[in-house]
Amino acid sequence: MAEFIAAEISNSMGEFNELNSYVLDIQKQIKCTAAAVFVIQDDRLVNEWYSGRHSESASSRAVDARTQFNVASVRKTYLAFAISLLIEKGLIRRIDDDISSYANVAAEAVKGITIRHCLTHTHGLELQEGELTRSFLPGENWAYNNNGIALLTEMVRDLTGKPLAEFLQKELFAPIGLAETGWRTECHEHLIYNYYQDKNNWVGPNDSPAGEQSNLFVSARELAIWGNLHLNQGKFRGEQVFPQSIFDRITSIQTPAALAPHLPRQGFIWWLQSVTPLNQIGERVPAGSFQVLGITGCTCLVIPKHRAVAVRMYNALSNPEGYDYLQDIRQFGDLVAEALQGS
C-alpha cells in the first residue's frame, strides 16, 4: 500500500481538524488509497481536505479537487430526483400507484408493489435463480436491495424514452453546470478506477453504457453541491432553479406508516434521522437531517438545522474484518455535528 499523502488543506477552520483526522484514520483502517472531506455551511466552503492517490501505485495521480470518486449507491438519490421531477411534470400521478402502471414489467411478484415501496425498500422483492419472488408482503417489512431500484430505473426509461443518465444530463447536470458528475463509460485521469481494475472495473460498457448502474462518478465538491441543492430546496446560487416541491417530497418521510417502528425511515431513497437500531445517522446529528451512503465509503450528510452539508469520499470496495461500518458512519456524522456547533 502506497503511503498516504494528504493534499494541502484549503479554506478549512480548526474546528474540523478532528473530523479530518478521523477520516484519515478510517482511510488507513479500511485500506483505501484515497479520501476527501468537503463541508459547506450557509452556502460557504468551510472545510476541504484531500488525502492519498488514485491507486496503490506511487506514480498514480494525487487526490485533489478534480478527483471523481465512484459513489456506488449514492447514485440512487439522482434517480430519486428524476422520479420527483416526473411527478412535477405530471408523468407520475401518485407514488402509491402500482409501479407496473408505469414500467413495462410482467413479473407476477411485482403486482401490488407501489412506487413508494420501491423508494423505501419495503417492496419485499428478491431474486431467486434470476426470477423475482417475494420475501414479505409489500409495506410489511424492510430489506435493502437493488430490486426495487431496478424497477424505478426502468420506469424512468419507459416514461421518458431515455436512459437515466441522458435524462439527468439534460434536466439536472447541464442546467446547473455539474461537469464533475456523470455515469462514465470511458476512463479518464480524474476518475479513481485503477484500484478496481483487478477486482471489478466500474468504468466502461461492461457495467452500463446507458448509465443506469454503478458507474456514476462525482467529485467531492459536486457531491456537496448536490446535497446543498437539497438543503436549499432547489435554489442554486440564489435562484430557484427547480421547484421546491421536488425536494419536499424527496426529504419527507415516505416509508409506509404501518412499518414497525424499529425499522428505518426514508424519504425518496435518502435515509432520514430516526431512532432505530438500523439508523445510519449519528445520535448527535440534529433531527431533520438526512443522508445517503455508498459501499465505496462515500457519504453525503445534510443537516438543515446547521444549514450545512458534509461529504466524505473513499475508494473502498469491501470492509476488512473488525471494521464496524455502522459505528463508523454514525461517528462521522457526530463529529460533523460537533465541528459545526464549534464553528
Side-chain angles (χ1 to χ4, degrees), residues 88-109:
E88 202 70 25
K89 290 176 176 287
L91 294 177
I92 296 173
R93 296 179 296 277
R94 300 165 56 251
I95 66 169
D96 288 315
D97 290 343
D98 283 9
I99 194 166
S100 59
S101 300
Y102 301 94
N104 184 21
V105 290
E108 182 69 22

Side-chain angles (χ1 to χ4, degrees), residues 233-253:
Q233 297 179 301
K235 285 186 178 179
F236 183 72
R237 294 178 178 171
E239 296 185 11
Q240 193 73 47
V241 179
F242 302 104
Q244 178 180 333
S245 53
I246 290 177
F247 299 90
D248 287 340
R249 295 186 198 99
I250 290 171
T251 60
S252 300
I253 293 179

Side-chain angles (χ1 to χ4, degrees), residues 171-244:
E171 300 286 348
L172 172 62
F173 302 157
I176 61 175
L178 296 181
E180 297 167 351
T181 302
W183 277 268
R184 307 306 188 196
T185 57
E186 295 181 0
C187 295
H188 188 277
E189 66 171 329
H190 293 153
L191 308 184
I192 293 186
Y193 57 87
N194 289 338
Y195 182 63
Y196 301 108
Q197 285 184 340
D198 294 334
K199 300 177 181 178
N200 180 17
N201 188 352
W202 286 10
V203 181
N206 290 334
D207 186 87
S208 176
E212 294 179 343
Q213 299 300 324
S214 53
N215 52 330
L216 178 66
F217 285 74
V218 188
S219 66
R221 58 187 173 190
E222 285 202 352
L223 186 55
I225 289 171
W226 178 233
N228 210 46
L229 189 67
H230 288 71
L231 176 66
N232 290 326
Q233 297 179 301
K235 285 186 178 179
F236 183 72
R237 294 178 178 171
E239 296 185 11
Q240 193 73 47
V241 179
F242 302 104
Q244 178 180 333

Side-chain angles (χ1 to χ4, degrees), residues 12 60 66 116 129 134 154 229 232 247 287 291 326 339:
S12 298
S60 66
R66 294 170 294 177
R116 183 189 301 276
E129 298 181 353
R134 287 185 180 178
E154 185 64 29
L229 189 67
N232 290 326
F247 299 90
Q291 179 175 258
L326 271 179

Side-chain angles (χ1 to χ4, degrees), residues 321-333:
E321 185 177 353
Y323 166 70
D324 188 330
Y325 180 76
L326 271 179
Q327 180 181 351
D328 166 38
I329 199 62
R330 290 168 179 163
Q331 178 69 5
F332 170 77

Side-chain angles (χ1 to χ4, degrees), residues 56 98 131 168 210 237:
E56 295 177 349
D98 283 9
E131 297 291 331
L168 287 174
R237 294 178 178 171

Side-chain angles (χ1 to χ4, degrees), residues 80-132:
F81 171 87
I83 292 167
S84 195
L85 179 60
L86 291 176
I87 294 172
E88 202 70 25
K89 290 176 176 287
L91 294 177
I92 296 173
R93 296 179 296 277
R94 300 165 56 251
I95 66 169
D96 288 315
D97 290 343
D98 283 9
I99 194 166
S100 59
S101 300
Y102 301 94
N104 184 21
V105 290
E108 182 69 22
V110 176
K111 288 184 178 179
I113 291 176
T114 67
I115 297 170
R116 183 189 301 276
H117 294 142
C118 294
L119 286 168
T120 59
H121 296 290
T122 56
H123 48 76
L125 291 171
E126 62 179 8
L127 275 176
Q128 294 284 349
E129 298 181 353
E131 297 291 331
L132 283 174

